[in-house]
Amino acid sequence: MKIAKIHITLKEGVLDPQGKAVQGSLHSLGFPSVEDVRVGKYIEIKLAEEDNAEKQVEDMCNKLLANPVVENYSYTIEEVVTQ
Amino acid sequence: MKFAVVVFPGSNCDRDMYYAAKDVLGEEAELVWYTEANLENYDAVLIPGGFSYGDYLRCGAIASTSDVVSQLKKLAERGVPILGVCNGFQILLESQLLPGAMLQNKNLKFMCHFENLIVENNETIFTSEYEKGEVVSMPIAHAEGNYYCDEETLAKLKANNQIVFTYQNNPNGSLANIAGIVNEKGNVLGMMPHPERAAEAILGSSDGLKLFQSIVKNWRESYVAGA
């Protein structure tokens, strides 16, 4: 089995109101060094053993998991050893 | 004229839309469940607001993968009028029937109140009964209505006169104050404000009624002999 670990983030230049709110809270908690916060998503997908896992994950990201108008994605695919 | 109101799991403005088309306008209308819809049987399609699929992943994203959206894409090409309001607009964006995307409101709040809109383009099948520049009042009710697109897309929207409604006092951070846009062909309109909730004076405004009346009038002129 394989596991795809996918990170989805807002593109640079796209305003992230949630990130801004988190940044404000971190400042008020006493972390003045915080310069910027971007909030994204993390998705894990378990995949049956397949040769073209990479292509499949790309397709999933492009078709549904990320919205290319406002989001970027990156991923890693790892082998999972089942015991 | 016969309207379809497509109902997804989580739609919650479907009955308002149905009521506006059927009882206020006095046209034929049917609520159609998204898995059972055959949209070939209708003259226009209304995609109501709500929280389809609980807004999981992104608003409208899951609904955009449904078979009924494949049907919508064919109808859109044929020029059938399609109106998406609120979550309906988000579904049209996620389906790429309209360009751009929605971000969270700038203030992160769910906002539910009347807003003044400016009719920027009254030369569409949805707005011909309005005056250009007319200020109309309709309620908004959303947390993700902050319209975004890249500069190139915005330039295209402007050049093609696709921006139909703008906010007079931008409540959510939308780019260029955009409240509603049409596709290039002009037969698909997406808007965050709710015309169906402003279709009768008792609701606080009847400014939304002219939008539905425009659709009917333009359809009659195109398809009904002697109209």
Side-chain angles (χ1 to χ4, degrees), chain B residues 41-165:
Chain B
N41 303 328
Y42 303 90
D43 303 312
V45 183
L46 307 172
I47 321 283
F51 298 85
S52 60
Y53 293 91
D55 279 351
Y56 294 164
L57 194 63
R58 295 179 306 276
C59 305
I62 309 283
S64 75
T65 64
S66 62
D67 168 68
V68 73
V69 168
S70 314
Q71 293 187 46
L72 277 182
K73 287 180 179 168
K74 286 180 200 146
L75 298 184
E77 265 176 50
R78 287 217 315 263
V80 173
I82 298 170
L83 167 67
V85 169
C86 199
N87 188 230
F89 185 12
Q90 293 164 339
I91 293 169
L92 294 175
L93 291 170
E94 284 286 344
S95 311
Q96 292 170 14
L97 278 160
L98 291 172
M102 284 301 170
L103 299 170
Q104 282 178 310
N105 293 344
K106 211 169 161 188
N107 64 3
L108 289 171
K109 287 180 181 156
F110 183 95
M111 290 186 288
C112 187
H113 58 249
F114 275 89
E115 279 290 340
N116 281 343
L117 311 175
I118 301 164
V119 180
E120 300 287 346
N121 179 357
N122 71 338
E123 292 172 2
T124 77
I125 56 168
F126 303 97
T127 51
S128 57
E129 293 295 287
Y130 294 101
E131 301 293 324
K132 183 173 164 63
E134 188 175 339
V135 177
V136 295
S137 176
M138 292 184 206
I140 58 163
H142 61 248
E144 285 91 1
N146 179 355
Y147 179 82
Y148 177 87
C149 64
D150 60 28
E151 280 176 27
E152 197 185 323
T153 307
L154 181 62
K156 251 176 103 180
L157 288 176
K158 286 180 175 168
N160 297 332
N161 215 6
Q162 287 173 255
I163 301 171
V164 176
F165 293 107

Side-chain angles (χ1 to χ4, degrees), chain B residues 25-55:
Chain B
L25 262 188
E27 298 293 323
E28 281 185 78
E30 283 174 7
L31 292 164
V32 289
W33 183 241
Y34 75 118
T35 53
E36 290 157 11
N38 179 1
L39 299 180
E40 293 296 326
N41 303 328
Y42 303 90
D43 303 312
V45 183
L46 307 172
I47 321 283
F51 298 85
S52 60
Y53 293 91
D55 279 351

